[in-house]
Amino acid sequence: MNIKPLFDRVVVRPIKEKADKIGSIILPESSKQPEICEVVALGTGKVDGNDVTFEVKVGDRVVFNRYSGCEFLIDNTIHIIIKEKDILGIIEN
Protein backbone atom coordinates (compact mmCIF):
# COMPACT_ATOMS: atom_id res chain seq x y z
CA MET A 1 0.00 0.00 0.00
CA ASN A 2 1.27 3.47 -0.88
CA ILE A 3 0.35 6.76 0.75
CA LYS A 4 0.69 10.25 -0.71
CA PRO A 5 0.58 12.98 1.95
CA LEU A 6 -1.08 16.28 1.15
CA PHE A 7 0.43 19.77 1.01
CA ASP A 8 3.43 20.30 3.35
CA ARG A 9 3.15 16.96 5.13
CA VAL A 10 5.79 14.23 5.31
CA VAL A 11 5.36 10.50 6.01
CA VAL A 12 8.12 9.02 8.16
CA ARG A 13 8.84 5.52 9.48
CA PRO A 14 10.51 5.12 12.90
CA ILE A 15 13.97 3.62 12.87
CA LYS A 16 14.33 0.97 15.53
CA GLU A 17 17.19 1.89 17.82
CA LYS A 18 18.53 -0.54 20.40
CA ALA A 19 17.39 0.08 23.95
CA ASP A 20 19.70 2.23 26.05
CA LYS A 21 21.01 0.76 29.25
CA ILE A 22 22.33 2.52 32.34
CA GLY A 23 23.91 -0.02 34.66
CA SER A 24 21.27 -2.71 35.04
CA ILE A 25 18.39 -0.34 34.22
CA ILE A 26 17.06 -0.51 30.68
CA LEU A 27 15.46 2.73 29.52
CA PRO A 28 12.12 2.17 27.77
CA GLU A 29 11.47 3.54 24.28
CA SER A 30 8.95 6.01 25.70
CA SER A 31 11.68 7.76 27.72
CA LYS A 32 13.55 8.88 24.61
CA GLN A 33 12.39 12.29 23.56
CA PRO A 34 13.15 13.15 19.96
CA GLU A 35 12.12 10.49 17.49
CA ILE A 36 14.52 9.36 14.72
CA CYS A 37 12.74 8.36 11.53
CA GLU A 38 13.29 7.82 7.82
CA VAL A 39 11.32 9.92 5.34
CA VAL A 40 9.24 7.64 3.08
CA ALA A 41 6.95 10.11 1.24
CA LEU A 42 6.51 13.85 0.64
CA GLY A 43 3.39 15.89 -0.04
CA THR A 44 2.83 18.20 -2.98
CA GLY A 45 4.54 21.08 -1.19
CA LYS A 46 1.90 23.70 -1.96
CA VAL A 47 0.44 25.72 0.87
CA ASP A 48 -1.99 28.61 0.28
CA GLY A 49 -1.14 28.66 -3.43
CA ASN A 50 2.59 29.30 -2.82
CA ASP A 51 5.17 26.79 -3.94
CA VAL A 52 7.16 25.40 -1.03
CA THR A 53 10.45 23.57 -1.56
CA PHE A 54 11.00 20.71 0.88
CA GLU A 55 14.24 20.71 2.86
CA VAL A 56 14.02 16.93 3.26
CA LYS A 57 13.89 14.17 0.66
CA VAL A 58 12.80 10.54 0.66
CA GLY A 59 15.43 8.42 2.43
CA ASP A 60 16.65 11.18 4.79
CA ARG A 61 16.95 10.33 8.48
CA VAL A 62 15.27 13.08 10.49
CA VAL A 63 14.65 14.03 14.11
CA PHE A 64 11.34 15.42 15.31
CA ASN A 65 9.45 15.75 18.55
CA ARG A 66 7.85 12.43 19.55
CA TYR A 67 4.45 14.03 20.16
CA SER A 68 4.08 15.56 16.68
CA GLY A 69 1.92 14.10 13.97
CA CYS A 70 -0.46 11.19 13.61
CA GLU A 71 0.57 7.52 13.83
CA PHE A 72 -0.97 4.81 11.63
CA LEU A 73 -0.20 1.28 10.43
CA ILE A 74 0.60 0.22 6.87
CA ASP A 75 1.45 -3.47 6.37
CA ASN A 76 2.01 -3.88 10.14
CA THR A 77 4.59 -1.08 10.17
CA ILE A 78 4.11 2.14 12.13
CA HIS A 79 4.20 5.32 10.04
CA ILE A 80 3.72 8.92 11.14
CA ILE A 81 2.43 11.90 9.16
CA ILE A 82 3.93 15.20 10.31
CA LYS A 83 4.22 18.71 8.95
CA GLU A 84 7.66 19.54 7.60
CA LYS A 85 7.95 22.46 10.04
CA ASP A 86 7.85 19.91 12.93
CA ILE A 87 11.11 18.32 11.75
CA LEU A 88 13.95 19.48 14.01
CA GLY A 89 16.87 18.36 11.85
CA ILE A 90 18.34 16.00 9.27
CA ILE A 91 20.89 13.42 10.42
CA GLU A 92 23.81 13.32 8.00
CA ASN A 93 26.03 10.25 7.74
Side-chain angles (χ1 to χ4, degrees):
M1 175 188 289
N2 291 331
I3 185 166
K4 178 70 174 173
L6 300 175
F7 307 113
D8 62 337
R9 289 179 173 78
V10 177
V11 177
V12 295
R13 178 179 49 228
I15 297 172
K16 297 290 181 192
E17 299 286 335
K18 60 182 180 181
D20 290 333
K21 187 175 179 182
I22 299 176
S24 61
I25 299 171
I26 297 176
L27 299 176
E29 288 294 318
S30 61
S31 71
K32 299 177 185 175
Q33 273 308 309
E35 184 83 34
I36 298 175
C37 293
E38 177 184 2
V39 175
V40 295
L42 300 173
T44 58
K46 293 190 178 194
V47 179
D48 296 328
N50 298 321
D51 289 340
V52 176
T53 304
F54 282 101
E55 293 291 323
V56 297
K57 62 185 181 303
V58 173
D60 281 350
R61 292 177 58 198
V62 297
V63 177
F64 70 96
N65 190 339
R66 173 179 290 277
Y67 302 107
S68 298
C70 176
E71 287 188 6
F72 60 96
L73 286 174
I74 294 181
D75 299 329
N76 293 326
T77 303
I78 294 176
H79 289 76
I80 305 166
I81 293 182
I82 58 173
K83 289 190 174 189
E84 187 187 30
K85 69 178 184 176
D86 293 332
I87 295 174
L88 303 174
I90 300 171
I91 298 172
E92 297 179 352
N93 293 335

mmCIF file of all heavy atoms in Angstrom, residues 42-90:
data_model
loop_
_atom_site.group_PDB
_atom_site.id
_atom_site.type_symbol
_atom_site.label_atom_id
_atom_site.label_comp_id
_atom_site.label_asym_id
_atom_site.label_seq_id
_atom_site.Cartn_x
_atom_site.Cartn_y
_atom_site.Cartn_z
ATOM 1 N N LEU A 42 6.686 12.403 0.509
ATOM 2 C CA LEU A 42 6.512 13.848 0.644
ATOM 3 C C LEU A 42 5.203 14.271 0.004
ATOM 4 O O LEU A 42 4.759 13.665 -0.972
ATOM 5 C CB LEU A 42 7.658 14.600 -0.044
ATOM 6 C CG LEU A 42 9.063 14.337 0.465
ATOM 7 C CD1 LEU A 42 10.075 15.026 -0.435
ATOM 8 C CD2 LEU A 42 9.208 14.803 1.885
ATOM 9 N N GLY A 43 4.607 15.333 0.532
ATOM 10 C CA GLY A 43 3.387 15.886 -0.041
ATOM 11 C C GLY A 43 3.683 16.682 -1.296
ATOM 12 O O GLY A 43 4.802 16.671 -1.816
ATOM 13 N N THR A 44 2.687 17.411 -1.747
ATOM 14 C CA THR A 44 2.835 18.200 -2.977
ATOM 15 C C THR A 44 3.660 19.455 -2.749
ATOM 16 O O THR A 44 4.216 20.013 -3.685
ATOM 17 C CB THR A 44 1.455 18.591 -3.521
ATOM 18 O OG1 THR A 44 0.762 19.334 -2.511
ATOM 19 C CG2 THR A 44 0.652 17.376 -3.913
ATOM 20 N N GLY A 45 3.723 19.919 -1.505
ATOM 21 C CA GLY A 45 4.541 21.077 -1.191
ATOM 22 C C GLY A 45 3.878 22.403 -1.428
ATOM 23 O O GLY A 45 4.512 23.429 -1.339
ATOM 24 N N LYS A 46 2.590 22.435 -1.733
ATOM 25 C CA LYS A 46 1.904 23.695 -1.963
ATOM 26 C C LYS A 46 1.040 24.037 -0.765
ATOM 27 O O LYS A 46 0.248 23.233 -0.305
ATOM 28 C CB LYS A 46 1.053 23.630 -3.216
ATOM 29 C CG LYS A 46 1.902 23.514 -4.456
ATOM 30 C CD LYS A 46 1.092 23.686 -5.698
ATOM 31 C CE LYS A 46 2.032 23.617 -6.897
ATOM 32 N NZ LYS A 46 1.428 24.073 -8.096
ATOM 33 N N VAL A 47 1.215 25.239 -0.265
ATOM 34 C CA VAL A 47 0.437 25.724 0.868
ATOM 35 C C VAL A 47 -0.085 27.106 0.503
ATOM 36 O O VAL A 47 0.693 27.979 0.135
ATOM 37 C CB VAL A 47 1.308 25.798 2.140
ATOM 38 C CG1 VAL A 47 0.506 26.335 3.303
ATOM 39 C CG2 VAL A 47 1.872 24.433 2.480
ATOM 40 N N ASP A 48 -1.364 27.323 0.585
ATOM 41 C CA ASP A 48 -1.985 28.610 0.283
ATOM 42 C C ASP A 48 -1.619 29.132 -1.108
ATOM 43 O O ASP A 48 -1.422 30.324 -1.302
ATOM 44 C CB ASP A 48 -1.610 29.655 1.344
ATOM 45 C CG ASP A 48 -2.139 29.281 2.706
ATOM 46 O OD1 ASP A 48 -3.206 28.646 2.769
ATOM 47 O OD2 ASP A 48 -1.496 29.632 3.702
ATOM 48 N N GLY A 49 -1.432 28.232 -2.066
ATOM 49 C CA GLY A 49 -1.136 28.658 -3.426
ATOM 50 C C GLY A 49 0.321 29.003 -3.675
ATOM 51 O O GLY A 49 0.704 29.289 -4.789
ATOM 52 N N ASN A 50 1.159 28.990 -2.649
ATOM 53 C CA ASN A 50 2.585 29.298 -2.815
ATOM 54 C C ASN A 50 3.372 28.003 -2.916
ATOM 55 O O ASN A 50 3.121 27.063 -2.179
ATOM 56 C CB ASN A 50 3.113 30.103 -1.621
ATOM 57 C CG ASN A 50 2.416 31.437 -1.497
ATOM 58 O OD1 ASN A 50 2.131 32.083 -2.491
ATOM 59 N ND2 ASN A 50 2.143 31.840 -0.273
ATOM 60 N N ASP A 51 4.331 27.968 -3.836
ATOM 61 C CA ASP A 51 5.174 26.788 -3.943
ATOM 62 C C ASP A 51 6.142 26.751 -2.770
ATOM 63 O O ASP A 51 6.764 27.751 -2.428
ATOM 64 C CB ASP A 51 5.975 26.799 -5.252
ATOM 65 C CG ASP A 51 5.098 26.549 -6.464
ATOM 66 O OD1 ASP A 51 4.001 26.001 -6.281
ATOM 67 O OD2 ASP A 51 5.518 26.901 -7.572
ATOM 68 N N VAL A 52 6.256 25.582 -2.161
ATOM 69 C CA VAL A 52 7.163 25.397 -1.034
ATOM 70 C C VAL A 52 8.144 24.291 -1.407
ATOM 71 O O VAL A 52 7.736 23.212 -1.829
ATOM 72 C CB VAL A 52 6.382 24.988 0.240
ATOM 73 C CG1 VAL A 52 7.333 24.697 1.380
ATOM 74 C CG2 VAL A 52 5.392 26.073 0.627
ATOM 75 N N THR A 53 9.428 24.559 -1.286
ATOM 76 C CA THR A 53 10.448 23.567 -1.561
ATOM 77 C C THR A 53 10.765 22.826 -0.273
ATOM 78 O O THR A 53 11.057 23.449 0.746
ATOM 79 C CB THR A 53 11.730 24.235 -2.093
ATOM 80 O OG1 THR A 53 11.399 25.011 -3.232
ATOM 81 C CG2 THR A 53 12.769 23.197 -2.465
ATOM 82 N N PHE A 54 10.692 21.506 -0.307
ATOM 83 C CA PHE A 54 10.999 20.707 0.881
ATOM 84 C C PHE A 54 12.500 20.727 1.163
ATOM 85 O O PHE A 54 13.312 20.667 0.242
ATOM 86 C CB PHE A 54 10.552 19.255 0.681
ATOM 87 C CG PHE A 54 9.075 19.046 0.842
ATOM 88 C CD1 PHE A 54 8.254 18.935 -0.257
ATOM 89 C CD2 PHE A 54 8.516 18.951 2.103
ATOM 90 C CE1 PHE A 54 6.892 18.738 -0.114
ATOM 91 C CE2 PHE A 54 7.158 18.749 2.262
ATOM 92 C CZ PHE A 54 6.344 18.648 1.157
ATOM 93 N N GLU A 55 12.842 20.805 2.429
ATOM 94 C CA GLU A 55 14.243 20.712 2.861
ATOM 95 C C GLU A 55 14.677 19.263 2.970
ATOM 96 O O GLU A 55 15.857 18.964 2.959
ATOM 97 C CB GLU A 55 14.433 21.406 4.210
ATOM 98 C CG GLU A 55 14.237 22.899 4.179
ATOM 99 C CD GLU A 55 15.345 23.609 3.414
ATOM 100 O OE1 GLU A 55 16.516 23.194 3.485
ATOM 101 O OE2 GLU A 55 15.026 24.590 2.735
ATOM 102 N N VAL A 56 13.715 18.346 3.126
ATOM 103 C CA VAL A 56 14.018 16.926 3.264
ATOM 104 C C VAL A 56 13.675 16.211 1.965
ATOM 105 O O VAL A 56 12.960 16.734 1.117
ATOM 106 C CB VAL A 56 13.235 16.286 4.437
ATOM 107 C CG1 VAL A 56 13.633 16.912 5.751
ATOM 108 C CG2 VAL A 56 11.737 16.378 4.227
ATOM 109 N N LYS A 57 14.217 15.002 1.813
ATOM 110 C CA LYS A 57 13.887 14.174 0.656
ATOM 111 C C LYS A 57 13.669 12.742 1.139
ATOM 112 O O LYS A 57 14.048 12.389 2.261
ATOM 113 C CB LYS A 57 14.984 14.245 -0.402
ATOM 114 C CG LYS A 57 16.334 13.743 0.053
ATOM 115 C CD LYS A 57 17.387 13.960 -1.025
ATOM 116 C CE LYS A 57 18.741 13.454 -0.642
ATOM 117 N NZ LYS A 57 19.317 13.974 0.564
ATOM 118 N N VAL A 58 13.056 11.930 0.314
ATOM 119 C CA VAL A 58 12.804 10.539 0.657
ATOM 120 C C VAL A 58 14.144 9.854 0.938
ATOM 121 O O VAL A 58 15.104 10.028 0.189
ATOM 122 C CB VAL A 58 12.046 9.815 -0.477
ATOM 123 C CG1 VAL A 58 11.924 8.331 -0.189
ATOM 124 C CG2 VAL A 58 10.675 10.442 -0.664
ATOM 125 N N GLY A 59 14.201 9.114 2.041
ATOM 126 C CA GLY A 59 15.425 8.419 2.432
ATOM 127 C C GLY A 59 16.220 9.137 3.511
ATOM 128 O O GLY A 59 17.092 8.548 4.135
ATOM 129 N N ASP A 60 15.957 10.432 3.730
ATOM 130 C CA ASP A 60 16.647 11.179 4.792
ATOM 131 C C ASP A 60 16.261 10.632 6.159
ATOM 132 O O ASP A 60 15.123 10.221 6.379
ATOM 133 C CB ASP A 60 16.276 12.666 4.762
ATOM 134 C CG ASP A 60 17.015 13.451 3.703
ATOM 135 O OD1 ASP A 60 17.961 12.902 3.102
ATOM 136 O OD2 ASP A 60 16.637 14.613 3.478
ATOM 137 N N ARG A 61 17.224 10.631 7.071
ATOM 138 C CA ARG A 61 16.946 10.328 8.482
ATOM 139 C C ARG A 61 16.756 11.667 9.181
ATOM 140 O O ARG A 61 17.606 12.541 9.088
ATOM 141 C CB ARG A 61 18.107 9.553 9.102
ATOM 142 C CG ARG A 61 18.237 8.148 8.515
ATOM 143 C CD ARG A 61 19.418 7.402 9.077
ATOM 144 N NE ARG A 61 19.286 7.309 10.521
ATOM 145 C CZ ARG A 61 20.297 7.034 11.346
ATOM 146 N NH1 ARG A 61 21.497 6.834 10.870
ATOM 147 N NH2 ARG A 61 20.096 6.962 12.637
ATOM 148 N N VAL A 62 15.618 11.807 9.865
ATOM 149 C CA VAL A 62 15.273 13.080 10.485
ATOM 150 C C VAL A 62 14.945 12.892 11.960
ATOM 151 O O VAL A 62 14.643 11.796 12.409
ATOM 152 C CB VAL A 62 14.079 13.754 9.760
ATOM 153 C CG1 VAL A 62 14.437 14.089 8.330
ATOM 154 C CG2 VAL A 62 12.831 12.894 9.820
ATOM 155 N N VAL A 63 15.001 14.000 12.688
ATOM 156 C CA VAL A 63 14.649 14.027 14.108
ATOM 157 C C VAL A 63 13.470 14.968 14.262
ATOM 158 O O VAL A 63 13.469 16.066 13.709
ATOM 159 C CB VAL A 63 15.838 14.546 14.954
ATOM 160 C CG1 VAL A 63 15.455 14.634 16.417
ATOM 161 C CG2 VAL A 63 17.056 13.675 14.768
ATOM 162 N N PHE A 64 12.468 14.542 15.008
ATOM 163 C CA PHE A 64 11.338 15.420 15.310
ATOM 164 C C PHE A 64 10.807 15.074 16.688
ATOM 165 O O PHE A 64 11.124 14.029 17.249
ATOM 166 C CB PHE A 64 10.235 15.308 14.245
ATOM 167 C CG PHE A 64 9.487 14.005 14.253
ATOM 168 C CD1 PHE A 64 8.286 13.892 14.919
ATOM 169 C CD2 PHE A 64 9.992 12.903 13.604
ATOM 170 C CE1 PHE A 64 7.594 12.697 14.938
ATOM 171 C CE2 PHE A 64 9.314 11.706 13.608
ATOM 172 C CZ PHE A 64 8.113 11.603 14.284
ATOM 173 N N ASN A 65 10.009 15.954 17.230
ATOM 174 C CA ASN A 65 9.446 15.747 18.550
ATOM 175 C C ASN A 65 8.501 14.556 18.529
ATOM 176 O O ASN A 65 7.641 14.457 17.668
ATOM 177 C CB ASN A 65 8.705 17.013 19.004
ATOM 178 C CG ASN A 65 8.299 16.948 20.450
ATOM 179 O OD1 ASN A 65 8.192 15.888 21.051
ATOM 180 N ND2 ASN A 65 8.073 18.103 21.027
ATOM 181 N N ARG A 66 8.636 13.662 19.475
ATOM 182 C CA ARG A 66 7.848 12.429 19.550
ATOM 183 C C ARG A 66 6.346 12.697 19.514
ATOM 184 O O ARG A 66 5.578 11.881 19.020
ATOM 185 C CB ARG A 66 8.200 11.674 20.823
ATOM 186 C CG ARG A 66 7.332 10.468 21.082
ATOM 187 C CD ARG A 66 7.730 9.742 22.334
ATOM 188 N NE ARG A 66 8.992 9.063 22.200
ATOM 189 C CZ ARG A 66 9.134 7.863 21.652
ATOM 190 N NH1 ARG A 66 8.102 7.244 21.166
ATOM 191 N NH2 ARG A 66 10.316 7.306 21.582
ATOM 192 N N TYR A 67 5.880 13.799 20.036
ATOM 193 C CA TYR A 67 4.446 14.033 20.165
ATOM 194 C C TYR A 67 3.854 14.792 18.984
ATOM 195 O O TYR A 67 2.729 15.243 19.050
ATOM 196 C CB TYR A 67 4.166 14.743 21.487
ATOM 197 C CG TYR A 67 4.681 13.917 22.634
ATOM 198 C CD1 TYR A 67 5.825 14.290 23.325
ATOM 199 C CD2 TYR A 67 4.059 12.728 22.980
ATOM 200 C CE1 TYR A 67 6.319 13.506 24.353
ATOM 201 C CE2 TYR A 67 4.550 11.936 24.003
ATOM 202 C CZ TYR A 67 5.675 12.328 24.690
ATOM 203 O OH TYR A 67 6.168 11.548 25.695
ATOM 204 N N SER A 68 4.593 14.919 17.898
ATOM 205 C CA SER A 68 4.078 15.563 16.683
ATOM 206 C C SER A 68 3.414 14.518 15.798
ATOM 207 O O SER A 68 3.787 13.355 15.799
ATOM 208 C CB SER A 68 5.222 16.202 15.895
ATOM 209 O OG SER A 68 5.838 17.198 16.640
ATOM 210 N N GLY A 69 2.463 14.939 15.015
ATOM 211 C CA GLY A 69 1.919 14.099 13.968
ATOM 212 C C GLY A 69 0.882 13.086 14.394
ATOM 213 O O GLY A 69 0.398 13.084 15.517
ATOM 214 N N CYS A 70 0.576 12.211 13.459
ATOM 215 C CA CYS A 70 -0.461 11.195 13.614
ATOM 216 C C CYS A 70 0.107 9.834 13.205
ATOM 217 O O CYS A 70 0.605 9.681 12.092
ATOM 218 C CB CYS A 70 -1.641 11.564 12.724
ATOM 219 S SG CYS A 70 -2.951 10.359 12.713
ATOM 220 N N GLU A 71 0.054 8.855 14.115
ATOM 221 C CA GLU A 71 0.567 7.516 13.826
ATOM 222 C C GLU A 71 -0.499 6.664 13.163
ATOM 223 O O GLU A 71 -1.686 6.786 13.478
ATOM 224 C CB GLU A 71 1.007 6.817 15.115
ATOM 225 C CG GLU A 71 2.277 7.339 15.694
ATOM 226 C CD GLU A 71 2.769 6.487 16.861
ATOM 227 O OE1 GLU A 71 2.176 5.430 17.152
ATOM 228 O OE2 GLU A 71 3.765 6.894 17.476
ATOM 229 N N PHE A 72 -0.062 5.766 12.257
ATOM 230 C CA PHE A 72 -0.974 4.813 11.632
ATOM 231 C C PHE A 72 -0.162 3.607 11.173
ATOM 232 O O PHE A 72 1.074 3.654 11.118
ATOM 233 C CB PHE A 72 -1.727 5.454 10.456
ATOM 234 C CG PHE A 72 -0.829 5.948 9.370
ATOM 235 C CD1 PHE A 72 -0.569 5.172 8.270
ATOM 236 C CD2 PHE A 72 -0.242 7.211 9.457
ATOM 237 C CE1 PHE A 72 0.275 5.632 7.266
ATOM 238 C CE2 PHE A 72 0.588 7.668 8.461
ATOM 239 C CZ PHE A 72 0.851 6.876 7.365
ATOM 240 N N LEU A 73 -0.845 2.511 10.878
ATOM 241 C CA LEU A 73 -0.197 1.281 10.433
ATOM 242 C C LEU A 73 -0.404 1.066 8.939
ATOM 243 O O LEU A 73 -1.517 1.242 8.436
ATOM 244 C CB LEU A 73 -0.774 0.069 11.159
ATOM 245 C CG LEU A 73 -0.377 -0.145 12.609
ATOM 246 C CD1 LEU A 73 -1.162 -1.313 13.192
ATOM 247 C CD2 LEU A 73 1.098 -0.393 12.741
ATOM 248 N N ILE A 74 0.670 0.689 8.252
ATOM 249 C CA ILE A 74 0.598 0.217 6.872
ATOM 250 C C ILE A 74 1.408 -1.067 6.835
ATOM 251 O O ILE A 74 2.595 -1.067 7.189
ATOM 252 C CB ILE A 74 1.194 1.215 5.857
ATOM 253 C CG1 ILE A 74 0.360 2.481 5.795
ATOM 254 C CG2 ILE A 74 1.281 0.574 4.474
ATOM 255 C CD1 ILE A 74 0.883 3.495 4.809
ATOM 256 N N ASP A 75 0.787 -2.169 6.444
ATOM 257 C CA ASP A 75 1.454 -3.469 6.371
ATOM 258 C C ASP A 75 2.167 -3.808 7.678
ATOM 259 O O ASP A 75 3.328 -4.221 7.682
ATOM 260 C CB ASP A 75 2.433 -3.514 5.200
ATOM 261 C CG ASP A 75 1.737 -3.298 3.867
ATOM 262 O OD1 ASP A 75 0.566 -3.685 3.743
ATOM 263 O OD2 ASP A 75 2.376 -2.720 2.962
ATOM 264 N N ASN A 76 1.485 -3.588 8.798
ATOM 265 C CA ASN A 76 2.008 -3.882 10.140
ATOM 266 C C ASN A 76 3.266 -3.100 10.495
ATOM 267 O O ASN A 76 4.067 -3.543 11.310
ATOM 268 C CB ASN A 76 2.251 -5.382 10.326
ATOM 269 C CG ASN A 76 0.963 -6.161 10.321
ATOM 270 O OD1 ASN A 76 -0.064 -5.678 10.797
ATOM 271 N ND2 ASN A 76 0.988 -7.368 9.780
ATOM 272 N N THR A 77 3.462 -1.950 9.863
ATOM 273 C CA THR A 77 4.588 -1.079 10.168
ATOM 274 C C THR A 77 4.044 0.285 10.563
ATOM 275 O O THR A 77 3.175 0.828 9.881
ATOM 276 C CB THR A 77 5.506 -0.911 8.938
ATOM 277 O OG1 THR A 77 5.943 -2.203 8.517
ATOM 278 C CG2 THR A 77 6.724 -0.071 9.271
ATOM 279 N N ILE A 78 4.555 0.831 11.667
ATOM 280 C CA ILE A 78 4.111 2.143 12.128
ATOM 281 C C ILE A 78 4.675 3.224 11.213
ATOM 282 O O ILE A 78 5.860 3.224 10.890
ATOM 283 C CB ILE A 78 4.550 2.400 13.578
ATOM 284 C CG1 ILE A 78 3.841 1.442 14.518
ATOM 285 C CG2 ILE A 78 4.270 3.850 13.981
ATOM 286 C CD1 ILE A 78 4.294 1.558 15.959
ATOM 287 N N HIS A 79 3.819 4.140 10.794
ATOM 288 C CA HIS A 79 4.205 5.324 10.038
ATOM 289 C C HIS A 79 3.617 6.536 10.747
ATOM 290 O O HIS A 79 2.644 6.408 11.494
ATOM 291 C CB HIS A 79 3.673 5.270 8.604
ATOM 292 C CG HIS A 79 4.354 4.257 7.756
ATOM 293 N ND1 HIS A 79 4.096 2.911 7.856
ATOM 294 C CD2 HIS A 79 5.284 4.385 6.796
ATOM 295 C CE1 HIS A 79 4.847 2.260 6.989
ATOM 296 N NE2 HIS A 79 5.579 3.135 6.333
ATOM 297 N N ILE A 80 4.194 7.695 10.515
ATOM 298 C CA ILE A 80 3.719 8.922 11.145
ATOM 299 C C ILE A 80 3.653 10.006 10.074
ATOM 300 O O ILE A 80 4.591 10.167 9.290
ATOM 301 C CB ILE A 80 4.678 9.366 12.276
ATOM 302 C CG1 ILE A 80 4.875 8.243 13.286
ATOM 303 C CG2 ILE A 80 4.147 10.621 12.965
ATOM 304 C CD1 ILE A 80 6.039 8.449 14.231
ATOM 305 N N ILE A 81 2.537 10.733 10.046
ATOM 306 C CA ILE A 81 2.426 11.897 9.155
ATOM 307 C C ILE A 81 2.655 13.142 10.008
ATOM 308 O O ILE A 81 1.993 13.330 11.030
ATOM 309 C CB ILE A 81 1.050 11.983 8.487
ATOM 310 C CG1 ILE A 81 0.858 10.833 7.519
ATOM 311 C CG2 ILE A 81 0.907 13.318 7.748
ATOM 312 C CD1 ILE A 81 -0.457 10.871 6.767
ATOM 313 N N ILE A 82 3.621 13.960 9.590
ATOM 314 C CA ILE A 82 3.930 15.198 10.309
ATOM 315 C C ILE A 82 4.037 16.338 9.308
ATOM 316 O O ILE A 82 4.212 16.107 8.111
ATOM 317 C CB ILE A 82 5.251 15.085 11.106
ATOM 318 C CG1 ILE A 82 6.416 14.748 10.178
ATOM 319 C CG2 ILE A 82 5.136 14.082 12.222
ATOM 320 C CD1 ILE A 82 7.771 14.774 10.845
ATOM 321 N N LYS A 83 3.955 17.550 9.791
ATOM 322 C CA LYS A 83 4.224 18.712 8.946
ATOM 323 C C LYS A 83 5.737 18.899 8.881
ATOM 324 O O LYS A 83 6.451 18.627 9.847
ATOM 325 C CB LYS A 83 3.562 19.960 9.505
ATOM 326 C CG LYS A 83 2.063 19.941 9.357
ATOM 327 C CD LYS A 83 1.475 21.272 9.697
ATOM 328 C CE LYS A 83 -0.008 21.246 9.390
ATOM 329 N NZ LYS A 83 -0.597 22.570 9.494
ATOM 330 N N GLU A 84 6.222 19.369 7.742
ATOM 331 C CA GLU A 84 7.665 19.541 7.595
ATOM 332 C C GLU A 84 8.223 20.497 8.648
ATOM 333 O O GLU A 84 9.327 20.300 9.138
ATOM 334 C CB GLU A 84 8.034 20.037 6.205
ATOM 335 C CG GLU A 84 9.541 20.042 6.018
ATOM 336 C CD GLU A 84 9.996 20.674 4.728
ATOM 337 O OE1 GLU A 84 9.313 21.572 4.226
ATOM 338 O OE2 GLU A 84 11.056 20.262 4.246
ATOM 339 N N LYS A 85 7.453 21.499 9.051
ATOM 340 C CA LYS A 85 7.951 22.457 10.036
ATOM 341 C C LYS A 85 8.198 21.813 11.404
ATOM 342 O O LYS A 85 8.902 22.382 12.218
ATOM 343 C CB LYS A 85 6.996 23.637 10.171
ATOM 344 C CG LYS A 85 5.681 23.300 10.819
ATOM 345 C CD LYS A 85 4.809 24.516 10.957
ATOM 346 C CE LYS A 85 3.531 24.160 11.697
ATOM 347 N NZ LYS A 85 2.702 25.305 11.929
ATOM 348 N N ASP A 86 7.626 20.609 11.662
ATOM 349 C CA ASP A 86 7.845 19.910 12.926
ATOM 350 C C ASP A 86 9.145 19.108 12.946
ATOM 351 O O ASP A 86 9.526 18.571 13.982
ATOM 352 C CB ASP A 86 6.669 18.977 13.236
ATOM 353 C CG ASP A 86 5.395 19.752 13.530
ATOM 354 O OD1 ASP A 86 5.502 20.904 14.010
ATOM 355 O OD2 ASP A 86 4.304 19.220 13.276
ATOM 356 N N ILE A 87 9.821 19.018 11.805
ATOM 357 C CA ILE A 87 11.106 18.320 11.752
ATOM 358 C C ILE A 87 12.177 19.223 12.338
ATOM 359 O O ILE A 87 12.315 20.372 11.945
ATOM 360 C CB ILE A 87 11.453 17.917 10.305
ATOM 361 C CG1 ILE A 87 10.432 16.885 9.802
ATOM 362 C CG2 ILE A 87 12.865 17.346 10.216
ATOM 363 C CD1 ILE A 87 10.579 16.517 8.335
ATOM 364 N N LEU A 88 12.930 18.693 13.306
ATOM 365 C CA LEU A 88 13.953 19.482 14.007
ATOM 366 C C LEU A 88 15.288 19.478 13.277
ATOM 367 O O LEU A 88 16.049 20.435 13.399
ATOM 368 C CB LEU A 88 14.133 18.929 15.414
ATOM 369 C CG LEU A 88 12.865 18.890 16.279
ATOM 370 C CD1 LEU A 88 13.153 18.194 17.594
ATOM 371 C CD2 LEU A 88 12.329 20.287 16.502
ATOM 372 N N GLY A 89 15.587 18.410 12.546
ATOM 373 C CA GLY A 89 16.871 18.358 11.851
ATOM 374 C C GLY A 89 17.019 17.109 11.008
ATOM 375 O O GLY A 89 16.259 16.148 11.154
ATOM 376 N N ILE A 90 18.009 17.134 10.113
ATOM 377 C CA ILE A 90 18.343 16.003 9.266
ATOM 378 C C ILE A 90 19.641 15.403 9.773
ATOM 379 O O ILE A 90 20.613 16.145 10.018
ATOM 380 C CB ILE A 90 18.522 16.453 7.796
ATOM 381 C CG1 ILE A 90 17.222 17.083 7.276
ATOM 382 C CG2 ILE A 90 18.947 15.275 6.913
ATOM 383 C CD1 ILE A 90 17.371 17.749 5.923
#
